[in-house]
């Protein structure tokens, strides 16, 4: 592997202070693919100190926004240039099909381009002043030192949503990838160095969440934490970040409803319901794993799903005909197995799947069969909890109101979908669904200029879009009196 396999702190490629390392394995066959430094709190502190110094010396923040944008644009160009290598690394590390990884890389380059373009577009605004002979202006400034923590499901994609706006707005940063998927983060740091990001501005620390992640969250030299991951970790980070009232951006999980009305185009709804869940073996925060189907088409719809699911081709992400790869790790596979067991115990019916595959060629990988549960009710844990695997639960509804109520009966509020040919009905449902994104006759589509984030316990703040840029800025009001006078009050 032609990769540095080190941390990047203050413009230098370094091992862990402790000298410790961690092996990274391929979830398809458990082969060791790399050995990387296993940093700890001391590495995180060194990276935070570098980012603090790089912010406080003011050079990056005062670099003209057009120049910062040009550097961010170069990163996009290098990602496009090295797309095949990046896609290969991502598939090796996560098990997802290389075709999906290629799509991710296109999206990632698009994200860097989008924020590069935004870099010099907001010069602040003049607002009306209540005082004659004065100027009142509102400007945006970088927040400061940003701690960024990413998950393992879409490693570089999630990182791009954080790196690009942070750099474009003149912040400095420390990013920590999931300890099990660091490879594309390392590669993108090579590209960022090549693009001319100055030393100290962007730092990469590798290792565990309860050491490095906890240090980033609790260190008072960090001004903002942007986290994507599970709800349990999100709550810990929120608590730790209170130490200096850090700005917080949390992108947490989801158990996303997909409402299928009887008047939807049947074949399209079946196809999109599958696409909405089974990419990357269902390990997607926005997966439409909670199907809510109108009673009159329920049986026909479930049968159509089951017939398609039975034909899924599981295998290596590097085989062209593979449709679904393995889960990320043995630990995660065990969690998914428990989740399904709980569903069975609570009375849900396994219509297809519900176990590991028997194919001898898949035994070394962390595979789980695509699974559909029917006879589901809202009180079941499989309906309420995020499974983060290739699992769909199906509930029935009779009225529009019931469909909306079921959709909203969740602690989550990340995303949801509605399939119907009645546009007025679709709009009524979308207006009432309490989530950050609602797709109509579509599922799982996102793009750089549309904001992404959750209602309720799915998170705080937004990534992507103009709001994703604003997360990385503070707003300042500057008032200047052009004709000051004494007030003679005291
Ligand atoms: P996770 O919460 O276990 O880990 C995420 C990151 O947090 C990792 O880098 C981990 O090392 C770190 N971490 C762990 N403990 C920590 C601590 N105490 N302090 C600070 N950092 C810590 O999540 P995961 O299993 O890697 O990812 C899956 C989860 O991510 C799912 O719940 C999924 O829904 C969510 N996710 C959400 C979005 C979104 O946009 N809303 C996108 C992708 C994934």
């Amino acid at each position: 592997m032609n990769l540095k396999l080190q941390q990047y702190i203050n413009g230098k490629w370094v091992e862990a202070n402790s000298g410790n390392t961690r092996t990274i394995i391929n979830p398809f066959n458990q082969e060791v693919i790399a050995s990387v430094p296993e940093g700890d709190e001391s590495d995180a502190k060194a990276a935070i100190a570098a980012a603090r110094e790089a912010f406080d010396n003011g050079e990056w923040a005062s670099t003209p926004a057009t120049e910062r944008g040009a550097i961010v644009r170069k990163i996009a160009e290098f990602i496009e240039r090295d797309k095949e290598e990046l896609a290969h690394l991502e598939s090796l590390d996560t098990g997802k099909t290389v075709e999906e990884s290629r799509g991710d890389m296109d999206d990632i380059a698009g994200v860097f381009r989008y924020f590069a373009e935004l870099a010099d577009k907001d010069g602040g605004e003049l607002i009306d002043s209540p005082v004659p002979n004065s100027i009142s202006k509102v400007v945006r400034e970088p927040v400061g030192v940003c701690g960024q923590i990413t998950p393992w499901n879409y490693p570089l994609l999630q990182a791009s949503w954080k790196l690009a706006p942070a750099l474009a707005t003149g912040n400095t940063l420390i990013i920590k990838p999931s300890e099990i998927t660091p490879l594309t983060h390392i590669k993108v740091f090579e590209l960022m160095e090549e693009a001319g990001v100055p030393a100290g501005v962007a730092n990469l620390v590798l290792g565990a969440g309860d050491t490095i992640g906890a240090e980033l969250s609790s260190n008072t030299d960090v001004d903002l934490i942007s986290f994507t991951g599970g709800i349990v970790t999100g709550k810990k980070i929120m608590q730790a970040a209170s130490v200096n009232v850090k700005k917080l951006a949390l992108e947490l999980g989801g158990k996303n409803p997909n409402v299928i009305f009887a008047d939807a185009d049947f074949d399209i709804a079946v196809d999109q319901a599958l696409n909405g869940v089974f990419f990357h073996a269902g390990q997607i925060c926005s997966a439409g794993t909670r199907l809510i189907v109108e009673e009159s088409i329920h049986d026909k719809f479930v049968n159509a799903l089951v017939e398609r699911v039975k034909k899924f081709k599981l295998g290596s992400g590097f085989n062209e005909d593979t449709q679904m790869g393995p889960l990320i790790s043995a630990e995660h596979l065990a969690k998914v197995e428990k989740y399904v067991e709980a569903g069975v115990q609570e009375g849900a019916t396994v219509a297809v799947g519900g176990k590991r595959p028997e194919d001898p060629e898949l035994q070394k990988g962390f595979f789980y069969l695509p699974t559909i549960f029917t006879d589901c009710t809202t009180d079941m844990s499989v309906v309420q909890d995020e499974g983060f695997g290739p699992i769909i639960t199906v509930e029935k509804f009779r009225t529009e109101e019931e469909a909306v109520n079921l959709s909203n009966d969740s602690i989550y509020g990340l995303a949801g979908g509605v399939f119907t040919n009645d546009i007025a009905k679709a709009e009524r449902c979308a207006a009432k669904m309490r989530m950050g994104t609602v797709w109509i006759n579509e599922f799982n589509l996102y793009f750089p200029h549309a904001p992404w984030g959750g209602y309720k316990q799915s998170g705080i703040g937004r990534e992507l879009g103009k709001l994703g840029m604003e997360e990385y800025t503070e707003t300042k009001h500057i008032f200047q009196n052009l004709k000051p006078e004494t007030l003679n009050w005291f």
Side-chain angles (χ1 to χ4, degrees):
M1 187 176 298
N2 186 21
L3 199 63
K4 292 221 162 69
L5 299 176
Q6 285 175 316
Q7 306 183 104
Y8 188 73
I9 298 175
N10 208 12
K12 295 200 172 61
W13 292 95
V14 294
E15 300 298 339
N17 271 332
S18 63
N20 290 341
T21 56
R22 174 190 291 265
T23 51
I24 305 299
I25 63 161
N26 179 347
F28 169 67
N29 54 16
Q30 303 190 48
E31 276 174 11
V32 172
I33 48 179
S35 169
V36 297
E38 175 72 2
D40 58 23
E41 291 89 344
S42 66
D43 301 270
K45 282 187 174 125
I48 293 166
R52 187 78 259 167
E53 157 60 21
F55 187 75
D56 290 347
N57 73 25
E59 285 171 23
W60 180 242
S62 60
T63 297
T66 310
E67 276 179 42
R68 288 199 306 263
I71 290 178
V72 175
R73 194 172 304 111
K74 265 194 203 166
I75 301 169
E77 286 162 9
F78 294 159
I79 288 167
E80 281 159 351
R81 182 194 68 193
D82 295 348
K83 171 177 161 180
E84 276 306 307
E85 184 186 351
L86 280 159
H88 183 89
L89 286 173
E90 200 77 306
S91 286
L92 211 52
D93 214 353
T94 62
K96 72 170 72 170
T97 67
V98 77
E99 206 46 43
E100 272 185 72
S101 293
R102 287 188 185 114
D104 287 357
M105 296 313 143
D106 290 339
D107 289 349
I108 291 162
V111 169
F112 276 95
R113 272 188 197 288
Y114 173 71
F115 286 110
E117 294 312 317
L118 278 193
D120 58 5
K121 300 295 178 291
D122 184 358
E125 60 171 337
L126 287 179
I127 59 172
D128 191 48
S129 167
V131 179
N133 298 308
S134 69
I135 297 173
S136 201
K137 63 179 176 181
V138 177
V139 295
R140 291 195 166 271
E141 296 181 343
V143 174
V145 175
C146 304
Q148 306 182 323
I149 302 173
T150 53
W152 46 256
N153 61 335
Y154 281 79
L156 191 53
L157 186 75
Q158 296 301 331
S160 70
W161 296 7
K162 302 181 190 306
L163 293 170
L167 290 173
T169 43
N171 294 275
T172 63
L173 64 97
I174 309 100
I175 195 165
K176 187 206 93 64
S178 166
E179 51 275 35
I180 52 181
T181 53
L183 299 183
T184 48
H185 277 65
I186 296 175
K187 177 69 193 171
V188 92
F189 265 75
E190 289 186 5
L191 302 183
M192 280 159 52
E193 186 180 37
E194 186 184 351
V197 175
V201 167
N203 302 274
L204 172 71
V205 191
L206 304 177
D210 56 3
T211 54
I212 295 168
E215 182 63 37
L216 290 176
S217 316
S218 62
N219 192 302
T220 53
D221 271 337
V222 176
D223 302 304
L224 173 153
I225 282 281
S226 175
F227 168 76
T228 303
I231 203 163
V232 174
T233 315
K235 287 179 182 177
K236 282 189 201 164
I237 288 174
M238 204 170 172
Q239 249 177 351
S242 71
V243 66
N244 61 330
V245 196
K246 286 181 178 57
K247 280 192 75 170
L248 263 186
L250 300 176
E251 296 288 339
L252 308 177
K255 173 75 188 176
N256 310 289
N258 189 1
V259 176
I260 316 289
F261 283 98
D263 61 8
D265 183 310
F266 188 85
D267 293 336
I268 291 174
V270 168
D271 189 67
Q272 292 263 1
L274 296 170
N275 279 308
V277 175
F278 292 113
F279 276 111
H280 198 16
Q283 302 166 115
I284 309 179
C285 56
S286 55
T289 52
R290 187 175 176 190
L291 278 186
I292 299 175
V293 182
E294 192 160 350
E295 194 172 40
S296 59
I297 58 160
H298 172 275
D299 294 355
K300 186 178 165 203
F301 199 82
V302 169
N303 288 341
L305 291 176
V306 169
E307 285 316 305
R308 291 271 297 264
V309 160
K310 280 185 188 159
K311 292 185 199 136
F312 278 14
K313 176 89 182 92
L314 274 58
S316 161
F318 292 98
N319 291 346
E320 270 190 16
D321 60 347
T322 295
Q323 290 170 299
M324 211 179 91
L327 298 175
I328 190 72
S329 66
E331 194 192 1
H332 189 55
L333 173 60
K335 261 197 210 166
V336 166
E337 284 182 309
K338 267 197 164 168
Y339 179 87
V340 172
E341 274 166 30
V344 172
Q345 274 169 15
E346 288 167 357
T349 304
V350 175
V352 66
K355 57 182 182 179
R356 302 189 58 187
E358 279 152 21
D359 181 345
E361 285 188 16
L362 303 180
Q363 296 311 308
K364 283 193 185 154
F366 307 124
F367 283 92
Y368 199 81
L369 285 175
T371 298
I372 299 178
F373 272 126
T374 54
D375 300 319
C376 296
T377 50
T378 43
D379 53 329
M380 292 176 177
S381 59
V382 280
V383 172
Q384 291 297 333
D385 299 344
E386 183 186 43
F388 224 55
I391 303 152
I392 295 179
T393 58
V394 191
E395 293 157 86
K396 290 179 197 167
F397 73 89
R398 286 194 180 148
T399 64
E400 183 182 323
E401 189 186 5
E402 194 188 353
V404 169
N405 289 343
L406 286 171
S407 301
N408 287 336
D409 181 3
S410 172
I411 61 164
Y412 293 109
L414 187 60
V418 185
F419 282 82
T420 173
N421 278 324
D422 180 339
I423 290 307
K425 184 159 70 178
E427 288 290 344
R428 282 194 302 272
C429 290
K432 288 187 191 141
M433 286 164 77
R434 302 275 304 152
M435 43 211 72
T437 297
V438 177
W439 292 289
I440 298 173
N441 295 326
E442 177 65 59
F443 211 96
N444 256 343
L445 183 79
Y446 54 87
F447 41 90
H449 34 299
W452 178 256
Y455 281 28
K456 300 196 252 179
Q457 294 189 38
S458 285
I460 296 176
R462 292 292 178 270
E463 293 192 297
L464 300 179
K466 286 184 188 158
L467 290 174
M469 188 88 159
E470 286 174 15
E471 290 283 349
Y472 286 93
T473 62
E474 290 279 15
T475 303
K476 183 180 279 177
H477 174 217
I478 301 174
F479 178 86
Q480 187 180 175
N481 195 333
L482 300 171
K483 201 176 168 200
E485 291 166 5
T486 54
L487 295 178
N488 292 325
W489 185 292
F490 298 107

